[in-house]
Amino acid sequence: MSKYIPAIVVGFLVAVVVSGGLAFFFSSAGADAGYLPMMVGAFLGIFTAYIMANLAGTKLGKAATPEQKQAVLEARPEPGQALLIVYREGFVGKAAGMDLSVDDRFVAQLKSPRFTAISVSPGGHQLSMAFGGLAGKQNKPTLEGFIAAPGDVIAFRATMQMGMMKNRIVVERIESDEALLQRLKPMIMIAPEV
């Protein structure tokens, strides 16, 4: 709850400033605005608090070095390892950070359009994706299993799909070819934390 307090405070301040500003504007113009300034201020305050609460779990990820990004774009897994690439695209929820974990270990948080990549050992793995903050309560987390072999380059694309009650994270496995690498080239790579 405490992580939502700044959102509530800013929303309240927006409501007060907008209501007061509109009331002053209408009174200086000699017009009777009635409840309009208060209603507009309340709406904008609630909207601001809602957006900020959705972003409460979002943090600024550290960009990868040019060398790290170049190694991924050359699709060079470490010897005896596989390379896992996860990228996020789409407009829906693009500012909200999506947490990525592999085998229950946090890897990175991605906004859209961004990507990350890590080396994984051969064998079966679980990739999980979920949101923090209020956005986490509005989106279903997802879990995707995959099997890695030495030298594999495994890529997943994550997008958001709006739903009636809850949004969902759509994950699809993408062919790791030159088209994928060209798609990743203009994106910011977030350095993995593992």
Side-chain angles (χ1 to χ4, degrees):
M1 180 65 182
S2 64
K3 66 182 173 183
Y4 301 125
I5 290 175
I8 294 167
V9 169
V10 171
F12 177 75
L13 290 175
V14 166
V16 169
V17 169
V18 170
S19 296
L22 284 175
F24 176 77
F25 172 75
F26 282 113
S27 67
S28 65
D32 180 25
Y35 290 110
L36 181 65
M38 189 172 60
M39 291 173 51
V40 170
F43 172 78
L44 291 177
I46 290 169
F47 182 73
T48 301
Y50 173 75
I51 295 299
M52 287 185 65
N54 272 321
L55 300 177
T58 302
K59 53 189 170 194
L60 185 61
K62 182 181 173 191
T65 65
E67 293 80 23
Q68 286 174 309
K69 184 174 180 180
Q70 188 58 38
V72 171
L73 294 177
E74 292 173 4
R76 295 185 317 222
E78 293 176 15
Q81 300 283 306
L83 180 64
L84 172 65
I85 301 170
V86 180
Y87 68 102
R88 185 166 170 215
E89 289 185 317
F91 181 75
V92 177
K94 76 183 283 176
M98 182 172 62
D99 295 333
L100 303 176
S101 297
V102 175
D103 301 330
D104 295 324
R105 287 186 352 217
F106 179 78
V107 173
Q109 189 179 82
L110 296 179
K111 297 179 197 173
S112 179
R114 291 190 172 47
F115 76 98
T116 193
I118 63 165
S119 290
V120 292
S121 60
H125 298 279
Q126 292 284 334
L127 172 67
S128 62
M129 300 175 193
F131 287 92
L134 189 61
K137 295 170 180 38
Q138 300 171 30
N139 295 281
K140 293 180 185 175
T142 189
L143 190 64
E144 187 75 27
F146 66 95
I147 297 174
D152 278 356
V153 177
I154 301 161
F156 289 100
R157 174 180 182 249
T159 57
M160 291 291 303
Q161 185 176 53
M162 303 274 300
M164 285 277 281
M165 300 302 278
K166 280 197 171 214
N167 303 328
R168 68 186 194 103
I169 302 167
V170 178
V171 180
E172 61 181 308
R173 191 158 177 174
I174 301 295
E175 186 69 32
S176 54
D177 56 11
E178 188 59 34
L180 168 66
L181 300 177
Q182 290 303 316
R183 178 177 234 146
L184 297 177
K185 201 172 195 175
M187 289 185 194
I188 294 171
M189 179 180 171
I190 301 299
E193 292 189 17
V194 292

